[in-house]
């Protein structure tokens, strides 16, 4: 109301981006960055906005910037790794996943049952060629009925376990997960979009 919140402009920018109003989105983010060019949250939301427009490399750069601005932010690094991988830069993707892992372990030291952190750790281990360490984590997460298991579905998809990925995705949709715009753009599911079961789950949302 008082127009004092940098993050409010950035959040509005993300909403406009998802709605396809890219010019208005750009104006919001320009305002946010002029007010505070060092806001981690603004760069994170700008990364999400870039992803909504399928600008993977720019999204990765924004997520990496967000992570540099906030030392405990592992989620931005995981998303940056996903974006680098989608853009074909596997070396940069591995670097992002490697940088995220100690931050995840630090978060889990304080909150060992944090599902988001556990999902992120499983993903990083998988991407760093440590599938034998990732698999037990995925099994542990799968036993917990929580909509956050969407991230587990992503990890199963990247692990080339499509049936497991779709099982989890179907479950989280039944539990009320409704981020269809994100699902439509998430590169983790690119290989599954032609599957009839995927189409049915997406349509059910």
């Amino acid at each position: 109301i008082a127009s004092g919140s940098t993050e409010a402009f950035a959040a509005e920018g993300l909403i406009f981006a998802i709605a396809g109003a890219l010019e208005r989105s750009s104006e919001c983010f320009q305002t946010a960055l002029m007010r505070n060019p060092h806001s981690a949250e603004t760069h994170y939301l700008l990364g999400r906005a870039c992803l909504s427009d399928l600008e993977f490399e720019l999204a990765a750069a924004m997520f990496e910037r967000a992570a540099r601005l906030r030392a405990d932010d592992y989620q931005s690094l995981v998303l940056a790794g996903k974006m680098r991988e989608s853009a074909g830069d596997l070396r940069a993707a591995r670097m992002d996943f490697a940088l995220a892992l100690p931050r995840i372990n630090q978060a889990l030291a304080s909150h060992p049952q944090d599902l988001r952190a556990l999902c992120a750790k499983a993903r990083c281990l998988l991407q760093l060629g440590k599938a034998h360490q990732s698999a037990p984590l995925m099994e542990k997460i799968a036993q917990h009925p929580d909509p956050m298991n969407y991230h587990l579905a992503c990890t199963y998809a990247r692990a080339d376990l499509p049936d497991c990925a779709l099982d989890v995705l179907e479950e989280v949709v039944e539990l009320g997960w409704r981020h269809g715009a994100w699902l439509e753009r998430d590169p983790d599911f690119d290989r599954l979009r032609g599957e009839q079961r995927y189409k049915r789950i997406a349509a059910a949302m």
Side-chain angles (χ1 to χ4, degrees):
I1 294 172
S3 299
S5 171
T6 298
E7 288 75 16
F9 281 104
E12 189 174 34
L14 175 58
I15 292 168
F16 281 131
I18 292 173
L22 299 184
E23 186 174 344
R24 294 190 69 181
S25 173
S26 178
E27 291 172 358
C28 290
F29 280 113
Q30 286 179 28
T31 300
L33 289 170
M34 282 190 295
R35 285 172 173 268
N36 182 4
H38 305 295
S39 166
E41 184 69 12
T42 294
H43 285 84
Y44 170 78
L45 293 172
L46 181 51
R48 295 288 295 263
C50 293
L51 174 57
S52 74
D53 197 36
L54 303 181
E55 292 283 353
F56 295 141
E57 291 187 23
L58 187 55
M62 293 303 102
F63 287 134
E64 288 161 356
R65 172 70 172 154
R68 286 195 296 272
L69 289 167
R70 195 170 71 200
D72 63 344
D73 179 7
Y74 62 83
Q75 184 64 17
S76 290
L77 283 170
V78 174
L79 288 171
K82 289 175 61 170
M83 299 303 98
R84 293 294 183 194
E85 186 178 30
S86 298
D89 192 344
L90 300 184
R91 180 176 176 275
R94 286 179 61 88
M95 186 177 298
D96 284 327
F97 289 123
L99 288 171
L101 198 53
R103 298 187 183 196
I104 295 168
N105 287 333
Q106 186 175 7
L108 287 171
S110 301
H111 304 285
Q113 302 304 317
D114 184 334
L115 282 179
R116 179 181 286 260
L118 289 170
C119 286
K121 183 172 183 176
R123 176 60 178 270
C124 290
L125 290 171
L126 179 67
Q127 300 297 143
L128 294 172
K130 300 178 180 180
H132 63 289
Q133 296 181 39
S134 177
L137 273 178
M138 288 191 280
E139 291 178 9
K140 177 180 180 179
I141 299 162
Q143 296 170 8
H144 196 292
D146 189 291
M148 188 55 66
N149 274 358
Y150 171 78
H151 297 292
L152 175 63
C154 295
T155 306
Y156 275 138
R158 283 294 183 182
D160 200 21
L161 296 169
D163 289 339
C164 293
L166 292 174
D167 284 346
V168 176
L169 182 62
E170 186 169 37
E171 181 181 14
V172 298
V173 169
E174 288 175 354
L175 286 169
W177 191 84
R178 289 292 182 273
H179 299 281
W182 178 259
L183 176 63
E184 181 182 342
R185 293 166 173 79
D186 194 328
D188 287 341
F189 291 98
D190 284 349
R191 298 180 187 177
L192 301 181
R193 299 200 197 283
E195 299 282 342
Q196 288 301 315
R197 188 179 175 199
Y198 172 88
K199 294 178 180 178
R200 179 175 57 79
I201 295 170
M205 296 173 65

